Amino acid sequence: MNYSPLQKARYEYQPKLPLILQNDINNIEVCYGNATQSVADQDKIKEMFPNTYGMKTISFKKGSSKAKKDGQVVGVILSGGQAPGGHNVITGLYDALKKSNPNNVLLGFKGGPSGLLDDDYIEFTDEFINEYRNTGGFDIIGSGRTKLETVEQFKVVAEVAKKHSLNAIVIIGGDDSNTNAAVLAEYMAATNSGVQVIGCPKTIDGDLKNDVIEVSFGFDTACKTYSELIGNIERDANSAKKYWHFIKVMGRSASHIALECALECQPNICLVGEEVEAKNQSMMDIVKYIADVVEARSAKGLNYGVAIVPEGLIEFIPEVKVLIAEINELLAVHEKDYAVLGTWEDQFNFVISNLTSNSAAVFKNLPVDIQHQLLMDRDPHGNVQVSRIETEKLLITMVAKELKDRGSKAKFSALNHFFGYEGRCAFPSNFDADYCYSLGYNAFLLISNGLTGYMSTVTNLSAGPSNWEAGGIPITKMMNLERRHGEFKPVIRKALVELDGKPFKYFEAHRKEWAENTCFTFPGAIQYYGPAEVCDITTRTLAIEQGN
Ligand code: FBP
């Protein structure tokens, strides 16, 4: 294999650990904090997780370790969408495990949760793992979106674990995948299988977040990658002065990525799904707002601009949200009836006749492409696949029509972009390389201390690795009940953009100025080498949240 100069250089990078994890593993002592409760639906979640509910928070201090260091056989999976840094979680876990005892074993199950069901695995060796240090992607073992939820599946996992004498499984994933981790941990505890389950918080979307998970890994690198591209487009727009660029960025539900890119690039418009929902803004309200900005800039001779559109916006627009919920329910309940419909006309009529009159009217008014996209298969967790709905094109069409209806003289020549997959496998930024390595290393400490049903946590993240703190949080603490596939299920609550949070408030205070004038900022490409204030900075969101 040929390596790029950067890949060769990144192999030499030594990720930084929090000070506590730099101690000899024998000198790291586990500390138990307060007992926890789920964020909502406490009684029901407690009933569903009798063995893993209410556990204490975990931190570590220098002291004498009672951890089990030998005979550790750990399995690991990558689950869900790719996020930069996943390889470093595995290398951190591997290094801690081998440091503890070189005879300890790490198995990587391939292709996500299905690797555990199919017993498709590799045993990591130094030679193999070294090829993946500090690199992007999930290709070390691959990923997948299979949901582990049935007792039959758990039994298979337990058999596979028994076959390999696994004492722990680490699930590296987002909110849905860590929901899988919690359910699996409960099953393993209830059946006295002796298998511990530990989660690691991954997702570029940044919506796996709470008081102890300050950010999910991959968010930093993905946002920096998108922001570089958005900044470049801003400079192009400012040079040519003839196009409006509508840029959809990933983030299946929450608008954290869009907001972070806006904070980094200061575009003319950034829509925030959570605000749209809170203010009950209809599709036409959004279109009118954009048209107003286009006209205001045009009046100053600025017939160009950049608008950031979060991928999840469509699900926050009240009338579309109701429509999607009705379609989800319909497709879940009438799955078989719908599957046999052969033509688009039959599908269209079936959907229209089963929707409420309001939703049927909304559906009929959407362009045919969007209608098709709203009916596409759900992902295995029951989510509509928003990355495949072309909201940015829909907005361009509707804004152009609105300007025409107004008899506007504004020139509106618009181009659409979608930045999604290109951000998910970049070489992890120094922040993500360090954070992920620490999460993996820390996961081993949770395992060796006999814990299960926990998520690995590293906190105080804007203060630099030497000030980071390591620990664990019970996954059930983050759970509530949500409607999925037509039933209520226990899931980790998604962290949406908080409209009274400091990052949104900062954006809100500046957006008028950014809309009417041209205040673009150009973050440039991720820098891996050079001054710390360029290379080691984290996101604006985290910096603003933590007052740095
Ligand atoms: P995860 O939540 O699994 O990390 O995935 C996030 C994401 O990148 C979303 O931003 C996007 O909507 C989705 O994955 C795309 O999924 P797929 O890779 O299956 O097309």
Side-chain angles (χ1 to χ4, degrees):
M1 195 171 165
N2 283 332
Y3 301 120
S4 68
L6 182 65
Q7 183 158 345
K8 280 188 212 156
R10 290 313 275 168
Y11 284 149
E12 302 306 317
Y13 180 76
Q14 182 51 52
K16 303 174 209 69
L17 283 171
L19 275 185
I20 182 70
L21 300 187
Q22 291 175 24
N23 288 298
D24 186 306
I25 281 185
N26 293 309
N27 298 330
I28 305 175
E29 187 182 328
V30 68
C31 311
Y32 293 88
N34 295 328
T36 56
Q37 288 212 337
S38 60
V39 281
D41 308 308
Q42 288 87 5
D43 292 344
K44 293 241 165 53
I45 306 278
K46 188 175 180 183
E47 209 177 294
M48 289 165 165
F49 294 88
N51 296 281
T52 51
Y53 186 87
M55 297 184 302
K56 294 177 174 172
T57 56
I58 298 294
S59 59
F60 294 105
K61 66 172 189 191
K62 209 169 167 197
S64 132
S65 162
K66 293 188 186 68
K68 180 177 177 300
K69 294 166 202 79
D70 311 330
Q72 297 275 355
V73 185
V74 177
V76 62
I77 60 166
L78 290 161
S79 182
Q82 283 67 251
H87 289 167
N88 270 27
V89 180
I90 297 181
T91 57
L93 175 63
Y94 178 85
D95 287 352
L97 193 121
K98 292 287 180 186
K99 215 179 214 176
S100 198
N101 186 320
N103 294 324
N104 288 339
V105 173
L106 182 62
L107 303 183
F109 288 86
K110 295 185 190 170
S114 63
L116 273 173
L117 298 172
D118 302 338
D119 191 17
D120 187 8
Y121 73 99
I122 51 155
E123 180 175 336
F124 291 110
T125 58
D126 288 355
E127 202 189 7
F128 181 81
I129 215 153
N130 288 345
E131 292 267 318
Y132 293 92
R133 289 184 187 274
N134 307 308
T135 58
F138 276 8
D139 43 329
I140 188 168
I141 44 173
S143 186
R145 291 196 184 276
T146 308
K147 194 166 167 58
L148 293 178
E149 58 181 350
T150 66
V151 175
E152 289 69 34
Q153 287 175 318
F154 299 151
K155 281 186 183 155
V156 177
V157 175
E159 276 162 26
V160 170
K162 197 167 172 199
K163 178 179 160 201
H164 297 291
S165 309
L166 292 185
N167 59 285
I169 296 171
V170 175
I171 295 185
I172 302 171
D175 52 347
D176 287 330
S177 312
N178 275 290
T179 295
N180 292 351
V183 180
L184 185 64
E186 176 62 31
Y187 175 84
M188 293 297 187
T191 54
N192 292 317
S193 65
V195 181
Q196 301 156 244
V197 182
I198 298 294
C200 286
K202 170 234 71 166
T203 178
I204 62 161
D205 292 1
D207 55 10
L208 176 45
K209 176 172 166 166
N210 51 47
D211 47 342
V212 263
I213 298 173
E214 295 171 0
V215 67
S216 53
F217 79 75
F219 177 73
D220 185 87
T221 310
C223 288
K224 284 179 175 145
T225 306
Y226 303 142
S227 296
E228 180 208 348
L229 299 173
I230 294 168
N232 294 350
I233 285 178
E234 287 179 339
R235 200 127 220 179
D236 195 286
N238 204 28
S239 307
K241 303 198 189 298
K242 60 178 180 179
Y243 293 126
W244 264 92
H245 295 269
F246 280 62
I247 306 172
K248 183 176 79 169
V249 290
M250 262 190 178
R252 187 173 46 212
S253 186
S255 305
H256 296 293
I257 294 180
L259 180 59
E260 170 62 21
C261 293
L263 295 172
E264 288 192 35
C265 303
Q266 304 188 179
N268 308 106
I269 292 172
C270 173
L271 302 171
V272 173
E274 291 82 342
E275 182 182 30
V276 166
E277 182 176 50
K279 293 188 174 162
N280 211 19
Q281 290 171 330
S282 66
M283 184 67 102
M284 268 327 283
D285 292 336
I286 298 169
V287 168
K288 284 186 175 145
Y289 164 69
I290 299 174
D292 289 348
V293 174
V294 171
E295 288 207 293
R297 286 181 62 79
S298 182
K300 292 183 173 183
L302 308 171
N303 288 302
Y304 64 94
V306 169
I308 300 180
V309 179
E311 182 183 76
L313 176 76
I314 191 97
E315 276 197 288
F316 281 107
I317 300 171
E319 68 272 24
V320 186
K321 184 179 178 148
V322 174
L323 169 67
I324 291 177
E326 285 185 27
I327 296 177
N328 284 350
E329 193 88 4
L330 180 66
L331 296 183
V333 177
H334 297 286
E335 196 182 357
K336 289 193 182 125
D337 304 329
Y338 183 76
V340 296
L341 301 172
T343 64
W344 166 246
E345 204 186 340
D346 289 345
Q347 290 171 347
F348 179 87
N349 290 332
F350 179 82
V351 169
I352 289 293
S353 60
N354 281 290
L355 292 174
T356 57
S357 58
N358 269 355
S359 290
V362 174
F363 190 73
K364 279 187 201 161
N365 277 336
L366 291 169
V368 177
D369 285 356
I370 303 286
Q371 290 172 349
H372 275 278
Q373 289 158 10
L374 284 175
L375 294 183
M376 277 179 315
D377 289 344
R378 272 43 194 161
D379 74 9
H381 300 275
N383 302 310
V384 66
Q385 299 189 52
V386 282
S387 60
R388 293 168 64 188
I389 300 177
E390 293 173 317
T391 324
E392 70 287 19
K393 284 192 190 168
L394 177 66
L395 288 173
I396 290 174
T397 312
M398 292 181 79
V399 170
K401 182 170 178 307
E402 170 68 14
L403 291 169
K404 196 168 163 223
D405 291 351
R406 288 183 186 187
S408 171
K409 299 223 163 31
K411 282 193 207 139
F412 181 64
S413 177
L415 299 173
N416 62 284
H417 312 261
F418 170 37
F419 296 152
Y421 298 94
E422 45 279 80
R424 299 202 310 184
C425 286
F427 281 99
S429 60
N430 287 353
F431 172 83
D432 269 329
D434 298 342
Y435 180 41
C436 291
Y437 187 82
S438 302
L439 284 171
Y441 199 97
N442 182 59
F444 178 72
L445 283 175
L446 297 173
I447 292 168
S448 59
N449 281 288
L451 298 160
T452 188
Y454 277 82
M455 180 124 33
S456 171
T457 60
V458 175
T459 51
N460 200 24
L461 292 170
S462 69
S466 53
N467 296 304
W468 289 355
E469 284 152 23
I473 175 179
I475 304 179
T476 49
K477 180 182 187 301
M478 298 170 239
M479 298 184 100
N480 67 168
L481 293 181
E482 284 177 23
R483 202 147 176 85
R484 297 286 175 92
H485 283 307
E487 333 168 21
F488 280 104
K489 295 263 167 100
V491 294
I492 292 176
R493 181 189 271 180
K494 264 190 202 309
L496 301 177
V497 169
E498 287 177 10
L499 300 182
D500 55 358
K502 289 183 194 164
F504 181 79
K505 285 282 168 210
Y506 182 92
F507 165 70
E508 195 181 32
H510 291 84
R511 71 175 149 194
K512 192 164 186 304
E513 189 197 346
W514 297 352
E516 290 172 2
N517 304 305
T518 302
C519 308
F520 300 154
T521 44
F522 313 112
I526 296 177
Q527 301 295 308
Y528 300 92
Y529 302 97
E533 66 271 23
V534 179
C535 303
D536 295 344
I537 44 167
T538 177
T539 57
R540 295 279 299 132
T541 304
L542 203 53
I544 295 174
E545 273 170 356
Q546 300 192 348
N548 292 320

